[in-house]
Amino acid sequence: MQKSVMSQVQTGREYAKKWPMRKELAPLFTEFRVIKATELAITVMPILAMLTLFMQINYLGSSFLPQAVAIALFFLSLPLQGLLWLGKRADTVLEPAMEHWYKELHTKMVANGYQGHVPKDKPRYAELAHLLNDMFDKMDRAFTRENL
């Protein structure tokens, strides 16, 4: 089923908040870099879009308004592209090797006293984010170091 763009952006925002921003995960998953870049783009791009629009119209005149608007819209679309990617990634089913690691990690956590949600048959990256968050929050450091 196809999701609307706005619901995918909302899913991306929720996934970015849910993903554990830990340096240990940075080499393993691209989410760390995408979330950091998207957060930066959300802060910087609206300012850059307005500055570009103002500078081009101020120095080049109103005849360059279409080009200035196009460039400003491009800058404004960059954070949305990051959120759309995150939304799609959150709903993506884990590939077989990652699914095996997810289930193995969940089994080890349950053996060490974890009482969380039951893993799904086809887990998505959103469930992986939830499990990793629980691992960092509820398990001790020795367990975390051993399983990453």
Side-chain angles (χ1 to χ4, degrees):
M1 184 172 83
Q2 193 77 7
K3 291 177 76 170
S4 72
V5 172
M6 289 308 293
S7 67
Q8 194 166 355
V9 167
Q10 185 62 33
T11 303
R13 288 185 71 86
E14 292 167 4
Y15 182 62
K17 289 177 186 172
K18 192 186 323 182
W19 186 262
M21 295 299 287
R22 304 288 296 242
K23 295 201 186 281
E24 302 97 292
L25 297 174
L28 301 173
F29 300 100
T30 57
E31 277 82 354
F32 186 85
R33 292 183 298 271
V34 173
I35 291 170
K36 286 288 190 185
T38 302
E39 287 173 351
L40 179 66
I42 287 171
T43 342
V44 172
M45 288 303 157
I47 297 166
L48 192 59
M50 294 304 294
L51 186 65
T52 301
L53 191 64
F54 172 75
M55 296 296 277
Q56 285 188 358
I57 291 174
N58 194 31
Y59 290 109
L60 300 175
S62 61
S63 62
F64 283 88
L65 181 63
Q67 292 91 336
V69 169
I71 292 171
L73 287 175
F74 170 73
F75 284 147
L76 291 174
S77 76
L78 290 175
L80 288 175
Q81 291 176 36
L83 291 173
L84 284 171
W85 186 89
L86 288 166
K88 181 164 176 45
R89 179 73 165 204
D91 289 335
T92 302
V93 175
L94 296 175
E95 49 272 355
M98 190 65 68
E99 180 181 347
H100 175 71
W101 182 69
Y102 169 84
K103 289 180 179 177
E104 184 180 307
L105 182 62
H106 186 271
T107 305
K108 287 180 181 179
M109 287 173 65
V110 167
N112 283 312
Y114 174 67
Q115 296 177 359
H117 67 288
V118 178
K120 295 183 177 181
D121 275 347
K122 293 288 183 187
R124 299 170 300 135
Y125 277 92
E127 282 88 30
L128 178 64
H130 182 70
L131 185 69
L132 288 172
N133 244 340
D134 283 351
M135 181 183 75
F136 284 114
D137 291 343
K138 297 177 181 172
M139 306 307 276
D140 63 350
R141 288 179 183 241
F143 179 85
T144 303
R145 257 185 268 125
E146 177 184 309
N147 290 295
L148 281 184

